[in-house]
């Protein structure tokens, strides 16, 4: 049985798949090609194109792209059912006199297709209906053949391990969030019991950048590729039956990752605004500048941008006397790298460099690429907004989904990297659970550090102090 290859290199430099397909599609008149690239087709024809037979196995880029995008048109459990019926049709399993040799040729290909599905989109099988369909299909195609039964057993065990790991991650995340909420409640009740600051926990920028990378890679690893579709691709005016998608799984792991970015930004701002002494605030700013630079060197662009965002928040940026004590040359360089002008041209150039380093890497350290996640989401959003899911003739706009799959498959490569740095539980616990100020609390701390400079700030400070009483 062929092994599932890695995602690297799955898509070529062209805007969509450039594989020449086998002749199978000629049996289905509803698939259309341009220069040997599949560009559109009816949903039924695309499903036929997914299912292998004795002489045909779909290209892996097609499998990924179709499984990624098909959920816009039907539920995964519905797709499993359709695959089941097509497999029965191809194998003629309903015929008691079916050719056993034909069945033996078909079974490994179907098992391989299902392995691709369960490995790449395991969260589809959290739905009991999808899991039930998988078990019915595998039972049907492997009955009477011990070799394929063993392969199916290994596939399902691997799937169960992935789903168990996801449940454990979600439970751990819930505990972390509960701990952070409890500590914030204590801080509000006893403001004088202010937490320790970051420099007492870790005063080495490289170490802190490594621990931030641990958090980033862990949270990235649990984001399923389908979450991009479920969260960011809305059904267009040509799409019908909107209500049948109302129970789609929310993109909870993607949302948790976005929340982490926001938390880190507010944590940076909190650590800067919290100290009473100007000298100490300046030292914290310089420390985070050094952390951001180490994140850039590692390839952790998401933490880098979160730190820059925290330092650019108004309660921090208004501390002119504090910034006057800071050597800002390094910060200016980092801001230049993440400059949003020309559609983040400088960042995209750096990202391409990190990606190239990752492809030719000899160590796990060199493989790390953690993108600025909000920009990745924005890119996918605009891809969706610029193209319809369905063409006027009712065909699926597969050219659009090739491009979507190309972007998501690159992300899939990045999220599979294991963090090579040693974990520091004390630092990680601090980063994940220490209370962070709200925006109002940040402004209050900022005004108390450096008084309001104009009437607008004076009114704001007065309002904030009144609301605190």
């Amino acid at each position: 049985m062929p092994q599932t290859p890695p995602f690297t290199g799955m898509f070529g430099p062209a805007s969509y798949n450039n594989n020449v397909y086998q002749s199978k599609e000629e049996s289905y008149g509803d698939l259309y090609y341009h220069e040997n690239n599949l560009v559109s087709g009816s949903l039924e024809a695309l499903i036929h194109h997914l299912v292998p037979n004795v002489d045909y196995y779909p290209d892996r880029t097609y499998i990924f792209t179709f499984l990624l995008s098909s959920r816009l048109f039907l539920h995964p459990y519905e797709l499993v059912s359709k695959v089941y019926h097509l497999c029965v049709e191809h194998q003629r399993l309903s015929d008691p006199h079916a050719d056993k040799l034909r069945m033996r040729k078909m079974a490994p290909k179907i098992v391989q297709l299902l392995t691709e599905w369960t490995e790449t989109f395991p969260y589809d099988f959290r739905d009991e209906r999808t899991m039930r369909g998988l078990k019915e299909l595998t039972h049907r195609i492997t009955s009477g053949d011990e070799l394929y039964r063993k392969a199916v057993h290994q596939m399902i065990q691997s799937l169960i391990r992935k789903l168990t790991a996801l449940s454990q991650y979600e439970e751990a995340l819930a505990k972390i969030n509960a701990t952070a909420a409890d500590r914030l409640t204590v801080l509000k009740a006893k403001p004088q019991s202010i937490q320790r600051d970051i420099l007492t926990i870790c005063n080495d920028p490289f170490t802190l950048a490594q621990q931030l990378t641990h958090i980033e890679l862990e949270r990235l690893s649990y984001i399923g590729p389908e979450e991009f579709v479920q969260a960011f691709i809305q059904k267009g005016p040509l799409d019908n039956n909107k209500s049948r998608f109302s129970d789609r799984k929310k993109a909870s792991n993607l949302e948790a990752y976005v929340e982490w970015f926001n938390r880190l930004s507010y944590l940076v701002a909190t650590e800067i605004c919290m100290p009473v002494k100007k000298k100490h605030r300046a030292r914290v700013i310089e420390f985070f500048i050094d952390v951001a630079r180490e994140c850039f060197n590692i390839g952790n662009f998401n933490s880098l941008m979160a730190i820059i965002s925290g330092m650019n928040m108004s309660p921090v940026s208004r501390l002119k006397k504090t910034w006057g004590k800071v050597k800002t040359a390094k910060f200016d360089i980092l801001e230049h790298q993440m400059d949003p002008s020309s559609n983040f041209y400088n960042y995209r150039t750096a990202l391409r460099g990190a990606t190239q380093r990752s492809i030719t890497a000899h160590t796990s350290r060199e493989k790390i690429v953690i993108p600025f996640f909000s920009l990745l989401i924005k890119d996918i959003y605009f891809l969706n907004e610029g193209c319809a899911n369905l063409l006027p003739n009712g065909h699926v706009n597969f050219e659009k989904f090739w491009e979507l799959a190309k972007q998501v498959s690159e992300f899939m490569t990045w999220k599979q990297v294991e963090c090579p740095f040693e974990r520091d539980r004390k630092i990680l616990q601090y980063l994940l659970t220490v209370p962070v100020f709200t925006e109002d609390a940040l402004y209050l701390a900022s005004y108390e550090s450096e008084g309001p400079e104009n009437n607008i700030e004076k009114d704001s400070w007065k309002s904030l102090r009144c609301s605190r009483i």
Side-chain angles (χ1 to χ4, degrees), residues 116-180:
E116 297 268 9
W117 192 344
T118 56
E119 286 184 355
T120 312
F121 298 91
Y123 302 168
D124 285 351
F125 300 90
R126 296 188 95 179
D127 187 327
E128 292 179 2
R129 297 168 296 183
T130 316
M131 181 66 91
R132 185 165 58 246
L134 173 70
K135 290 180 177 179
E136 288 173 357
L137 175 55
T138 53
H139 175 74
R140 187 68 180 264
I141 64 172
T142 61
S143 57
D145 198 312
E146 184 62 33
L147 176 64
Y148 301 137
R149 272 207 300 270
K150 185 177 180 181
V152 165
H153 176 74
Q154 291 174 342
M155 175 187 73
I156 290 179
Q157 289 302 306
S158 175
L159 174 60
I160 290 171
R161 283 194 297 271
K162 287 177 185 288
L163 296 181
T164 301
L166 174 62
S167 296
Q168 291 171 344
Y169 166 73
E170 289 174 340
E171 290 171 9
L173 215 55
K175 287 181 182 177
I176 287 169
N177 292 338
T179 302

XYZ file of all heavy atoms in Angstrom, residues 116-180:
539
model
N -5.908 8.457 3.861
C -5.648 9.869 3.555
C -6.645 10.756 4.298
O -6.282 11.775 4.890
C -5.801 10.108 2.042
C -4.831 9.348 1.168
C -3.577 10.138 0.856
O -3.378 11.212 1.450
O -2.785 9.670 0.023
N -7.894 10.379 4.237
C -8.961 11.170 4.846
C -8.799 11.231 6.362
O -8.821 12.317 6.962
C -10.311 10.556 4.467
C -11.516 11.404 4.787
C -11.571 12.496 5.624
C -12.835 11.233 4.274
N -12.846 13.002 5.660
C -13.642 12.255 4.834
C -13.425 10.320 3.399
C -15.006 12.360 4.561
C -14.772 10.430 3.122
C -15.553 11.448 3.695
N -8.631 10.087 7.001
C -8.566 10.059 8.471
C -7.299 10.709 9.010
O -7.303 11.238 10.124
C -8.662 8.616 8.995
O -7.628 7.804 8.402
C -10.018 7.998 8.670
N -6.214 10.675 8.234
C -4.971 11.289 8.699
C -5.006 12.814 8.563
O -4.474 13.533 9.402
C -3.776 10.734 7.924
C -3.387 9.324 8.328
C -2.133 8.842 7.610
O -1.626 9.563 6.731
O -1.667 7.737 7.940
N -5.618 13.292 7.476
C -5.569 14.725 7.181
C -6.759 15.485 7.758
O -6.623 16.639 8.166
C -5.512 14.950 5.661
O -4.518 14.092 5.096
C -5.155 16.387 5.333
N -7.914 14.844 7.818
C -9.133 15.480 8.337
C -9.746 14.628 9.444
O -10.923 14.241 9.371
C -10.152 15.690 7.209
C -9.676 16.592 6.112
C -9.014 16.072 5.006
C -9.880 17.966 6.174
C -8.565 16.901 3.979
C -9.435 18.811 5.164
C -8.771 18.273 4.064
N -8.971 14.315 10.495
C -9.493 13.408 11.535
C -10.714 13.963 12.265
O -11.560 13.201 12.728
C -8.299 13.241 12.491
C -7.452 14.462 12.265
C -7.610 14.781 10.812
N -10.824 15.301 12.348
C -11.922 15.878 13.123
C -13.278 15.628 12.471
O -14.316 15.727 13.132
C -11.712 17.380 13.333
C -10.419 17.742 14.041
C -9.962 19.059 14.082
C -9.624 16.766 14.648
C -8.767 19.393 14.711
C -8.436 17.089 15.271
C -8.006 18.401 15.302
O -6.827 18.725 15.929
N -13.293 15.278 11.176
C -14.552 14.907 10.532
C -15.209 13.738 11.254
O -16.439 13.604 11.245
C -14.307 14.498 9.073
C -14.028 15.693 8.164
O -14.195 16.838 8.616
O -13.630 15.474 7.005
N -14.378 12.894 11.883
C -14.867 11.653 12.467
C -15.226 11.802 13.944
O -15.517 10.805 14.615
C -13.841 10.540 12.229
C -13.603 10.302 10.766
C -12.615 11.004 10.078
C -14.400 9.426 10.055
C -12.414 10.821 8.723
C -14.214 9.236 8.690
C -13.215 9.939 8.020
N -15.233 13.046 14.435
C -15.821 13.294 15.755
C -17.341 13.157 15.672
O -17.995 12.891 16.668
C -15.466 14.697 16.254
C -14.009 14.917 16.494
C -13.760 16.260 17.170
N -13.667 16.089 18.603
C -13.429 17.079 19.450
N -13.293 18.308 19.012
N -13.343 16.853 20.738
N -17.861 13.362 14.476
C -19.288 13.168 14.227
C -19.547 11.659 14.160
O -18.975 10.947 13.336
C -19.659 13.837 12.898
C -21.155 13.826 12.634
O -21.842 12.859 13.045
O -21.658 14.769 11.995
N -20.416 11.175 15.039
C -20.685 9.738 15.102
C -21.201 9.198 13.771
O -20.947 8.044 13.421
C -21.694 9.445 16.215
C -21.150 9.690 17.606
C -22.178 9.416 18.691
O -23.306 8.996 18.337
O -21.851 9.606 19.873
N -21.915 10.026 13.024
C -22.452 9.568 11.745
C -21.326 9.302 10.748
O -21.374 8.330 9.982
C -23.425 10.614 11.181
C -24.650 10.837 12.049
C -25.417 12.071 11.618
N -24.627 13.304 11.790
C -25.088 14.529 11.545
N -26.335 14.685 11.099
N -24.326 15.584 11.729
N -20.299 10.150 10.763
C -19.161 9.952 9.862
C -18.366 8.716 10.272
O -17.962 7.911 9.429
C -18.238 11.192 9.861
O -19.037 12.369 9.796
C -17.295 11.163 8.679
N -18.160 8.555 11.573
C -17.431 7.390 12.067
C -18.189 6.098 11.763
O -17.586 5.093 11.363
C -17.188 7.520 13.576
C -16.417 6.361 14.187
S -14.709 6.236 13.583
C -13.871 7.251 14.814
N -19.492 6.138 11.929
C -20.295 4.950 11.635
C -20.195 4.584 10.151
O -20.044 3.414 9.789
C -21.750 5.199 12.029
C -22.656 3.973 11.880
C -23.968 4.153 12.617
N -24.691 5.320 12.144
C -24.925 6.406 12.880
N -24.480 6.477 14.119
N -25.606 7.425 12.385
N -20.269 5.606 9.286
C -20.131 5.356 7.845
C -18.778 4.770 7.491
O -18.669 3.879 6.641
N -17.721 5.269 8.160
C -16.370 4.744 7.930
C -16.298 3.262 8.292
O -15.768 2.448 7.525
C -15.362 5.541 8.765
C -13.925 5.010 8.772
C -13.271 5.205 7.406
C -13.101 5.698 9.859
N -16.848 2.904 9.432
C -16.782 1.511 9.889
C -17.598 0.591 8.987
O -17.182 -0.547 8.696
C -17.243 1.411 11.338
C -16.257 2.040 12.318
C -16.721 1.936 13.754
C -15.671 2.507 14.715
N -16.127 2.440 16.125
N -18.750 1.079 8.519
C -19.563 0.263 7.614
C -18.834 0.025 6.296
O -18.842 -1.098 5.769
C -20.901 0.963 7.361
C -21.834 0.944 8.549
C -23.081 1.794 8.318
O -23.180 2.436 7.246
O -23.955 1.825 9.211
N -18.198 1.058 5.778
C -17.489 0.932 4.508
C -16.298 -0.009 4.632
O -16.108 -0.909 3.796
C -17.037 2.313 4.032
C -16.167 2.365 2.774
C -16.845 1.652 1.610
C -15.849 3.805 2.402
N -15.498 0.169 5.682
C -14.306 -0.673 5.836
C -14.691 -2.131 6.102
O -14.018 -3.050 5.642
C -13.407 -0.153 6.967
O -14.185 0.005 8.171
C -12.791 1.182 6.592
N -15.778 -2.340 6.820
C -16.230 -3.713 7.072
C -16.627 -4.377 5.752
O -16.308 -5.547 5.513
C -17.409 -3.708 8.038
C -18.005 -5.073 8.257
N -17.377 -6.040 9.012
C -19.163 -5.625 7.781
C -18.121 -7.141 9.005
N -19.211 -6.917 8.277
N -17.291 -3.612 4.899
C -17.782 -4.162 3.637
C -16.639 -4.548 2.695
O -16.667 -5.609 2.065
C -18.689 -3.129 2.963
C -19.418 -3.622 1.718
C -20.451 -4.669 2.091
N -21.160 -5.160 0.921
C -22.337 -4.684 0.515
N -22.917 -3.707 1.185
N -22.936 -5.208 -0.530
N -15.642 -3.682 2.597
C -14.593 -3.925 1.599
C -13.528 -4.905 2.074
O -12.770 -5.435 1.259
C -13.904 -2.612 1.166
C -13.169 -1.974 2.346
C -14.893 -1.665 0.527
C -12.323 -0.786 1.950
N -13.443 -5.148 3.377
C -12.367 -6.007 3.876
C -12.863 -7.350 4.383
O -12.063 -8.145 4.857
C -11.605 -5.308 5.013
O -12.517 -5.046 6.097
C -10.983 -4.003 4.544
N -14.142 -7.610 4.309
C -14.665 -8.869 4.834
C -14.021 -10.035 4.102
O -13.963 -10.075 2.871
C -16.184 -8.923 4.673
O -16.540 -8.744 3.323
N -13.496 -10.953 4.907
C -12.888 -12.151 4.330
C -11.422 -12.012 3.989
O -10.816 -12.972 3.509
N -10.830 -10.844 4.237
C -9.411 -10.674 3.906
C -8.667 -10.140 5.127
O -8.788 -8.978 5.501
C -9.245 -9.708 2.733
C -7.867 -9.840 2.094
O -6.871 -9.847 2.851
O -7.797 -9.934 0.852
N -7.891 -10.991 5.740
C -7.204 -10.662 6.996
C -6.198 -9.519 6.825
O -6.064 -8.663 7.695
C -6.493 -11.912 7.523
C -5.812 -11.712 8.881
C -6.804 -11.359 9.975
O -7.958 -11.833 9.925
O -6.427 -10.584 10.894
N -5.518 -9.470 5.680
C -4.499 -8.447 5.458
C -5.110 -7.051 5.503
O -4.592 -6.150 6.172
C -3.827 -8.678 4.095
C -2.798 -7.621 3.675
C -1.611 -7.626 4.635
C -2.323 -7.874 2.244
N -6.230 -6.859 4.827
C -6.854 -5.543 4.780
C -7.551 -5.203 6.096
O -7.624 -4.045 6.479
C -7.822 -5.455 3.600
C -7.128 -5.694 2.279
C -7.702 -6.498 1.303
C -5.871 -5.141 2.023
C -7.041 -6.739 0.096
C -5.212 -5.364 0.827
C -5.798 -6.178 -0.128
O -5.150 -6.405 -1.313
N -8.041 -6.233 6.768
C -8.636 -6.000 8.097
C -7.605 -5.423 9.056
O -7.896 -4.531 9.851
C -9.233 -7.286 8.655
C -10.683 -7.522 8.252
C -11.412 -8.365 9.279
N -10.798 -9.674 9.438
C -11.130 -10.753 8.726
N -12.053 -10.668 7.783
N -10.536 -11.900 8.920
N -6.384 -5.932 8.961
C -5.299 -5.440 9.820
C -4.978 -3.983 9.493
O -4.791 -3.155 10.396
C -4.063 -6.319 9.636
C -2.918 -5.966 10.569
C -1.750 -6.932 10.374
C -0.601 -6.573 11.311
N 0.556 -7.487 11.131
N -4.927 -3.653 8.201
C -4.641 -2.278 7.788
C -5.739 -1.332 8.257
O -5.468 -0.214 8.724
C -4.501 -2.206 6.269
N -6.980 -1.764 8.162
C -8.110 -0.947 8.613
C -8.064 -0.755 10.121
O -8.306 0.340 10.640
C -9.453 -1.589 8.184
C -10.612 -0.960 8.936
C -9.649 -1.443 6.689
N -7.733 -1.827 10.840
C -7.636 -1.728 12.300
C -6.584 -0.698 12.702
O -6.809 0.132 13.594
C -7.285 -3.103 12.880
C -7.075 -3.081 14.367
N -8.116 -2.961 15.279
C -5.931 -3.138 15.119
C -7.635 -2.955 16.504
N -6.312 -3.054 16.439
N -5.426 -0.718 12.031
C -4.362 0.249 12.326
C -4.825 1.669 12.012
O -4.541 2.600 12.773
C -3.110 -0.102 11.515
C -2.428 -1.382 11.961
C -1.283 -1.775 11.045
O -1.184 -1.308 9.912
N -0.413 -2.657 11.527
N -5.543 1.834 10.910
C -6.040 3.154 10.517
C -6.998 3.703 11.566
O -6.892 4.871 11.978
C -6.748 3.064 9.169
C -7.414 4.347 8.710
S -8.409 4.111 7.215
C -9.809 3.211 7.892
N -7.936 2.868 12.020
C -8.935 3.335 12.981
C -8.295 3.593 14.344
O -8.649 4.563 15.027
C -10.102 2.330 13.077
C -10.900 2.374 11.765
C -11.008 2.635 14.265
C -12.063 1.424 11.680
N -7.329 2.768 14.727
C -6.625 3.011 15.994
C -5.866 4.335 15.956
O -5.851 5.093 16.932
C -5.667 1.854 16.305
C -6.350 0.564 16.697
C -7.245 0.736 17.907
O -6.822 1.217 18.963
N -8.520 0.366 17.765
N -5.232 4.619 14.823
C -4.517 5.895 14.661
C -5.497 7.063 14.740
O -5.211 8.088 15.370
C -3.781 5.912 13.315
O -3.187 7.165 13.078
N -6.658 6.911 14.123
C -7.686 7.954 14.167
C -8.165 8.188 15.595
O -8.289 9.343 16.038
C -8.860 7.544 13.275
C -10.104 8.445 13.309
C -9.759 9.860 12.880
C -11.199 7.854 12.427
N -8.397 7.123 16.329
C -8.866 7.247 17.716
C -7.821 7.950 18.572
O -8.155 8.779 19.429
C -9.224 5.851 18.290
C -10.491 5.328 17.605
C -9.422 5.915 19.807
C -10.814 3.887 17.924
N -6.535 7.649 18.323
C -5.466 8.330 19.076
C -5.490 9.834 18.808
O -5.319 10.643 19.727
C -4.097 7.749 18.715
C -3.802 6.406 19.358
C -2.333 6.034 19.253
N -1.902 5.871 17.865
C -1.978 4.720 17.201
N -2.468 3.637 17.791
N -1.553 4.644 15.946
N -5.693 10.217 17.539
C -5.749 11.643 17.196
C -6.929 12.327 17.877
O -6.797 13.435 18.411
C -5.864 11.815 15.673
C -4.598 11.505 14.895
C -4.847 11.631 13.390
C -3.645 11.226 12.571
N -2.540 12.193 12.641
N -8.076 11.682 17.872
C -9.275 12.274 18.471
C -9.150 12.339 20.000
O -9.616 13.283 20.626
C -10.520 11.478 18.065
C -10.832 11.483 16.565
C -12.094 10.676 16.279
C -10.990 12.901 16.031
N -8.511 11.334 20.583
C -8.277 11.350 22.033
C -7.329 12.486 22.407
O -7.558 13.203 23.389
C -7.685 9.999 22.495
O -8.590 8.945 22.160
C -7.443 9.995 24.003
N -6.266 12.656 21.616
C -5.314 13.747 21.870
C -6.014 15.098 21.772
O -5.746 16.008 22.571
C -4.160 13.671 20.880
N -6.913 15.245 20.814
C -7.658 16.502 20.671
C -8.522 16.765 21.905
O -8.544 17.883 22.423
C -8.533 16.456 19.426
C -9.475 17.648 19.235
C -8.688 18.946 19.077
C -10.397 17.424 18.035
N -9.214 15.745 22.379
C -10.056 15.911 23.572
C -9.221 16.305 24.781
O -9.614 17.169 25.579
C -10.824 14.615 23.854
O -11.725 14.323 22.807
N -8.058 15.671 24.930
C -7.177 15.996 26.057
C -6.659 17.435 25.951
O -6.548 18.136 26.960
C -6.013 15.001 26.102
C -6.445 13.591 26.483
C -5.333 12.566 26.316
O -4.324 12.817 25.645
N -5.505 11.396 26.905
N -6.342 17.864 24.726
C -5.888 19.238 24.503
C -6.982 20.229 24.873
O -6.724 21.235 25.538
C -5.485 19.401 23.040
C -5.317 20.837 22.580
C -4.229 21.593 22.979
C -6.263 21.422 21.720
C -4.077 22.906 22.543
C -6.109 22.731 21.285
C -5.026 23.466 21.697
O -4.873 24.769 21.272
N -8.204 19.939 24.462
C -9.319 20.839 24.767
C -9.566 20.918 26.277
O -9.851 21.992 26.807
C -10.578 20.364 24.045
C -10.515 20.573 22.549
C -11.677 19.976 21.789
O -12.352 19.080 22.346
O -11.926 20.398 20.647
N -9.424 19.786 26.955
C -9.585 19.785 28.417
C -8.477 20.599 29.077
O -8.733 21.369 30.017
C -9.574 18.344 28.945
C -10.817 17.540 28.571
C -10.671 16.065 28.924
O -9.680 15.711 29.600
O -11.540 15.276 28.496
N -7.241 20.436 28.604
C -6.109 21.192 29.160
C -6.295 22.687 28.926
O -6.019 23.507 29.812
C -4.802 20.709 28.531
N -6.783 23.037 27.746
C -7.025 24.442 27.412
C -8.092 25.042 28.332
O -7.959 26.179 28.795
C -7.471 24.540 25.948
C -7.022 25.764 25.152
C -5.513 25.919 25.185
C -7.511 25.639 23.704
N -9.134 24.264 28.580
C -10.207 24.728 29.460
C -9.680 24.964 30.881
O -10.043 25.947 31.543
C -11.350 23.712 29.475
N -8.792 24.086 31.351
C -8.201 24.246 32.691
C -7.322 25.492 32.751
O -7.347 26.242 33.739
C -7.379 23.008 33.052
C -8.228 21.784 33.382
C -7.342 20.601 33.743
C -8.185 19.360 34.037
N -7.343 18.170 34.321
N -6.528 25.711 31.697
C -5.665 26.897 31.645
C -6.502 28.161 31.690
O -6.214 29.106 32.443
C -4.794 26.868 30.366
C -3.697 25.813 30.492
C -4.173 28.238 30.090
C -2.961 25.536 29.198
N -7.574 28.196 30.895
C -8.447 29.368 30.857
C -9.139 29.596 32.192
O -9.317 30.735 32.635
C -9.481 29.222 29.742
C -8.853 29.270 28.361
O -7.749 29.797 28.189
N -9.523 28.699 27.370
N -9.527 28.492 32.854
C -10.179 28.602 34.165
C -9.206 29.143 35.200
O -9.565 29.992 36.029
C -10.723 27.239 34.595
N -7.951 28.676 35.155
C -6.926 29.161 36.086
C -6.664 30.645 35.876
O -6.565 31.419 36.839
C -5.615 28.369 35.899
O -5.867 26.985 36.108
C -4.551 28.848 36.880
N -6.566 31.055 34.615
C -6.336 32.468 34.303
C -7.493 33.325 34.807
O -7.293 34.411 35.358
C -6.151 32.644 32.793
